[in-house]
Amino acid sequence: MDKGTFIVVSAPSGTGKSSICKRFLQAYPEIQFSVSYTTRLPRPGEVNGKDYFFISREEFQKRRKQGDFAESAENYGNLYGTSIRAMKESLAKGTTVLLDIEPRGAKKIKENFRGGAFVFILPPSREELLKRLEGRGHESAEIIRARYDRAESELKEISWYDYVIFNDDLETAVHQLSSIYIAQRCKRSKLQTKIKKFMNK
Ligand code: ADP
Ligand code: 5GP
């Protein structure tokens, strides 16, 4: 079987990335979501092992020392990391992996894994971004401000991403992400086995 591929999505916090990914994954159950490890507390509705693996700082540092993470970064005082084992296993099985990570981590993945589509999601405007951050309603004004301010530095990273999606209308954004996935699957490099079989009759 041809090896799997991956899609990395990044976006300033509050853009709607989780909303898009959730719908996208519902539409394509064959895609494996890369469940990150984090030291942050679960938000209402988040499930351990599904949204994140919620672990202590000590456990995270131990795992990082062991080399368990393909990349890791600190965001808003919490640590986040991508499991290198899960990523490698999924790719070896020929699965498409979806990673929801911020630009510093995304860059590390770009350096260490070949192929893959890097997608940056933008809100329709800065005003709308602030509205969405406030609309989530489960964070302090201080955290909301920190997330909003962080957006400025993250936006600078857009230059090396392959695709950009404006999340104005949610359905359209999901459709655009789906189109990127379908295009990835049609890449010649991902269809070598099938092509070979066809050529050999
Ligand atoms: P992120 O994962 O990027 O931090 P969320 O998915 O949590 O963002 O979305 C932030 C808020 O914006 C949520 O309240 C969500 O319901 C809302 N939202 C997401 N996409 C849209 C959209 N296209 N239009 C209006 N509101 C949206
Ligand atoms: P949140 O706390 O809102 O779920 O995530 C905060 C930020 O951390 C988001 O930008 C999200 O994409 C990023 N993130 C989630 N998991 C990882 C990870 O494993 N590695 C890195 N570098 N960032 C992550």
Side-chain angles (χ1 to χ4, degrees):
M1 199 195 291
D2 291 309
K3 280 216 209 135
T5 187
F6 60 94
I7 301 172
V8 173
V9 289
S10 303
S13 185
T15 297
K17 180 169 41 107
S18 311
S19 311
I20 295 169
C21 288
K22 201 169 153 208
R23 285 176 190 235
F24 173 61
L25 289 166
Q26 276 165 359
Y28 298 97
E30 73 274 19
I31 298 176
Q32 181 78 46
F33 179 64
S34 167
V35 181
S36 294
Y37 286 79
T38 185
T39 61
R40 90 150 158 75
L41 293 172
R43 292 188 188 129
E46 282 184 333
V47 177
N48 187 36
K50 188 167 169 270
D51 299 288
Y52 283 103
F53 291 107
F54 297 99
I55 57 172
S56 68
R57 217 176 166 87
E58 293 69 45
E59 167 89 18
F60 192 99
Q61 278 156 346
K62 194 181 103 199
R63 283 177 179 270
R64 187 158 62 182
K65 225 171 168 183
Q66 280 170 198
D68 287 3
F69 299 129
E71 60 75 33
S72 66
E74 179 140 9
N75 304 314
Y76 319 105
N78 292 304
L79 297 165
Y80 295 78
T82 302
S83 161
I84 197 163
R85 199 174 122 220
M87 176 92 175
K88 281 190 172 164
E89 280 177 6
S90 296
L91 293 178
K93 273 193 286 183
T95 306
T96 296
V97 184
L98 178 70
L99 295 95
D100 167 349
I101 60 177
E102 49 70 64
R104 280 169 302 163
K107 204 163 204 175
K108 274 265 156 61
I109 297 290
K110 198 178 173 80
E111 285 161 12
N112 295 319
F113 292 86
R114 284 201 309 146
F118 290 77
V119 184
F120 202 97
I121 307 175
L122 283 174
S125 65
R126 284 176 165 78
E127 294 74 40
E128 178 63 20
L129 178 63
L130 193 55
K131 248 195 233 165
R132 287 184 191 172
L133 280 169
E134 289 167 348
R136 282 201 298 213
H138 52 69
E139 280 170 340
S140 67
E142 198 188 348
I143 293 277
I144 290 174
R145 193 71 224 174
R147 287 184 185 273
Y148 183 74
D149 290 344
R150 167 86 174 268
E152 289 306 321
S153 61
E154 289 192 344
L155 287 171
K156 294 196 186 100
E157 298 297 320
I158 203 168
S159 58
W160 56 266
Y161 279 74
D162 303 311
Y163 300 96
V164 174
I165 293 175
F166 278 93
N167 180 23
D168 195 347
D169 172 62
L170 186 59
E171 290 310 318
T172 306
V174 174
H175 182 67
Q176 290 178 350
L177 185 58
S178 304
S179 305
I180 293 165
Y181 166 54
I182 292 163
Q184 279 289 100
R185 281 201 332 206
C186 294
K187 277 200 157 178
R188 183 182 45 77
S189 58
K190 292 289 156 204
L191 292 169
Q192 292 294 31
T193 310
K194 226 173 161 180
I195 295 168
K196 227 179 197 165
K197 205 169 151 203
F198 180 85
M199 294 301 185
N200 292 337
K201 291 181 199 129

